[in-house]
Amino acid sequence: MIPVNEPLLDGNEKTYLLQCIETGWISSEGPFIKKFETEFARRVGRKHAIAVANGTAALDIAIETLGVGLGDEVILPTFTIISCICQIVRSGATPVLIESDPLTWNMDVRQIAAKITSRTKAIVAVHTYGLPVDMDPLLEIAHRHGIKVIEDSSQMHGQIYRGKSCGSFGEISTFSFYPNKLVTTGEGGMVVTDDATLAEKARSFRNLCFQPEKRFVHESLGWNYRMTNMQAALGLAQLERLDEFVARKRALGRRYNELLADTPGIQRPCPRTEYAENIYWVYGLVLDDTIPFDAEEAMRRLATKGIDSRPFFWPMHEQPVFKKNGLFRKDRYPIAERIARRGIYLPSGIALTTDQIERSAQALKEIVA
Ligand SMILES: Cc1ncc(COP(=O)(O)O)c(C=O)c1O
């Protein structure tokens, strides 16, 4: 089976991990945490970085740090991972969803204005699959209404929007370091910001809101969302190779595009927009309506040919967990619904060989022929 993802760990990962074991620094107190945070902040052009347990934790902290709570509304795309919405719902705020752009599969920023009310507290911009959200109009509307922006850059390490790093927009940005990301720590995440007060709050929420003076007396509720020194050691080694990993992803995307250029019945990823070049975090495809089966069946057929693949996200407004709690009962977003049912991604890992790309593309051609 050609795996849908495999990390590349043949840089300084082993050396740095050995240092953790040899020095005994395996908890979140170790020196790699600070190094990884400093290097990561520098790379994305932020003043502060807070390493956390995973990308979902980073989003939980971002939402809590901005003070989102009962009575607030938070705007986010319907086509995203559940991580983006969990803490909004748990805080008692109301999630307000946005339809997808059919070309980039990101939230359609032109539809944000109609959803803003006097209760809108924040917008979560989620860069999806390889192209960033069109941030300029989103930031403009947010500033005009005094709304905070969280940028979920989980899939977008090394990506650039109009000459600026993804992860440098809005009040707070978040990242994931799950093994399918361009920088991995096994499990891990990062919160980044330029605001010292927000950074301090985020650090406190990461560490159970322990207090410097009276450690076990708590003024607020936080989480244990700390990252270990061993994860940070991996992350630092990975970060050293980010430019190379970005180049590999783009080469992978280009090769798939060439191989599938004349294949009828599929929508390939949009290679570029006026504001960014696709980074191909994953190589996603949407089956045309002329193909007589859906994403699930496509994945089954690819598996019989030895090719692993994954479905697209399932929209938030169609999640049973929210429907049964009365959320989104009347919401319809036909573009998100369609790409969820007809979208898959092919093997897209950084370690993928040219031969594996060619075999995956060939299998895809055969199943849609
Ligand atoms: C856009 C986005 N946000 C958040 C997450 C959650 O990250 P994690 O799996 O590290 O919790 C992911 C994971 O893939 C993601 O793609």
Side-chain angles (χ1 to χ4, degrees):
M1 201 73 155
I2 298 180
V4 80
N5 178 70
E6 229 178 334
L8 209 54
L9 303 168
D10 54 359
N12 282 323
E13 287 81 356
K14 207 169 169 181
T15 310
Y16 295 168
L17 270 177
L18 262 177
Q19 285 176 26
C20 298
I21 292 166
E22 284 165 2
T23 59
W25 281 116
I26 55 172
S27 76
S28 60
E29 297 283 315
F32 278 113
I33 294 284
K34 197 80 231 137
K35 280 187 199 157
F36 185 37
E37 288 178 339
T38 304
E39 280 308 304
F40 200 85
R42 196 184 56 76
R43 173 73 205 220
V44 296
R46 287 287 207 180
K47 293 198 178 116
H48 310 276
I50 299 103
V52 296
N54 53 65
T56 307
L59 282 158
D60 288 353
I61 288 178
I63 293 286
E64 185 75 2
T65 297
L66 291 184
V68 169
L70 198 65
D72 294 329
E73 291 175 2
V74 180
I75 292 176
L76 75 159
T78 189
F79 185 72
T80 188
I81 191 165
I82 193 104
S83 311
C84 298
I85 200 171
C86 292
Q87 183 56 22
I88 300 171
V89 173
R90 288 197 180 112
S91 76
T94 305
V96 175
L97 303 176
I98 300 285
E99 173 65 300
S100 310
D101 178 297
L103 212 68
T104 66
W105 308 323
N106 276 311
M107 73 202 285
D108 185 344
V109 295
R110 292 164 302 187
Q111 301 195 28
I112 293 175
K115 299 271 175 124
I116 289 178
T117 72
S118 57
R119 302 199 304 164
T120 309
K121 176 100 176 191
I123 301 173
V124 185
V126 188
H127 306 310
T128 305
Y129 294 168
L131 280 170
V133 174
D134 192 0
M135 290 307 289
D136 279 353
L138 183 148
L139 289 167
E140 192 278 319
I141 201 167
H143 290 159
R144 187 148 38 90
H145 293 271
I147 296 167
K148 309 282 185 208
V149 173
I150 296 172
E151 181 197 13
D152 181 356
S153 211
S154 288
Q155 308 175 351
M156 230 44 49
H157 316 69
Q159 178 60 300
I160 304 285
Y161 171 89
R162 292 194 193 278
K164 254 190 103 191
S165 281
C166 286
S168 66
F169 297 96
E171 275 68 26
I172 300 187
S173 307
T174 64
F175 286 87
S176 162
F177 303 124
Y178 190 72
N180 59 4
K181 304 304 189 299
L182 278 95
V183 168
T184 185
T185 60
E187 300 284 351
M190 194 74 85
V191 176
V192 295
T193 180
D194 290 322
D195 183 314
T197 310
L198 293 180
E200 194 184 328
K201 277 189 189 167
R203 280 214 170 80
S204 179
F205 286 128
R206 165 180 73 176
N207 196 23
L208 290 164
C209 299
F210 286 133
Q211 299 204 86
E213 301 297 322
K214 289 193 165 229
R215 184 172 175 82
F216 294 109
V217 178
H218 299 265
E219 297 284 346
S220 308
L221 283 180
W223 297 269
N224 176 355
Y225 276 167
R226 299 184 299 259
M227 175 184 272
T228 70
N229 197 48
M230 296 179 289
Q231 291 166 307
L234 268 187
L236 190 67
Q238 290 268 294
L239 192 58
E240 290 168 354
R241 298 177 70 189
L242 180 54
D243 289 333
E244 177 197 340
F245 292 166
V246 169
R248 275 176 177 256
K249 283 281 193 191
R250 289 218 164 103
L252 170 153
R254 271 197 302 276
R255 190 70 191 119
Y256 269 130
N257 283 338
E258 286 162 8
L259 292 164
L260 298 173
D262 302 321
T263 308
I266 52 165
Q267 179 192 350
R268 287 177 288 117
C270 174
R272 70 187 56 78
T273 61
E274 59 172 20
Y275 47 80
E277 290 276 325
N278 204 316
I279 204 172
Y280 302 101
W281 172 61
V282 292
Y283 193 85
L285 296 165
V286 178
L287 302 171
D288 287 350
D289 294 336
T290 52
I291 303 293
F293 51 82
D294 65 3
E296 261 182 49
E297 178 60 21
M299 288 190 299
R300 264 195 296 275
R301 291 184 189 200
L302 284 170
T304 65
K305 293 178 181 293
I307 311 298
D308 201 9
S309 60
R310 290 284 180 282
F312 272 20
F313 293 134
W314 198 252
M316 293 305 107
H317 70 281
E318 294 198 284
Q319 297 291 342
V321 62
F322 299 135
K323 286 271 182 233
K324 71 183 174 214
N325 288 316
L327 275 172
F328 315 133
R329 285 247 162 95
K330 293 196 179 122
D331 286 31
R332 289 299 311 274
Y333 303 100
I335 296 165
E337 288 166 21
R338 179 169 180 278
I339 63 178
R341 283 159 179 79
R342 304 195 69 80
I344 57 167
Y345 60 88
L346 295 176
S348 310
I350 287 165
L352 210 64
T353 64
T354 314
D355 176 60
Q356 287 176 315
I357 296 172
E358 284 166 7
R359 279 160 53 206
S360 303
Q362 183 56 32
L364 193 270
K365 281 182 173 189
E366 287 168 15
I367 69 155
V368 298

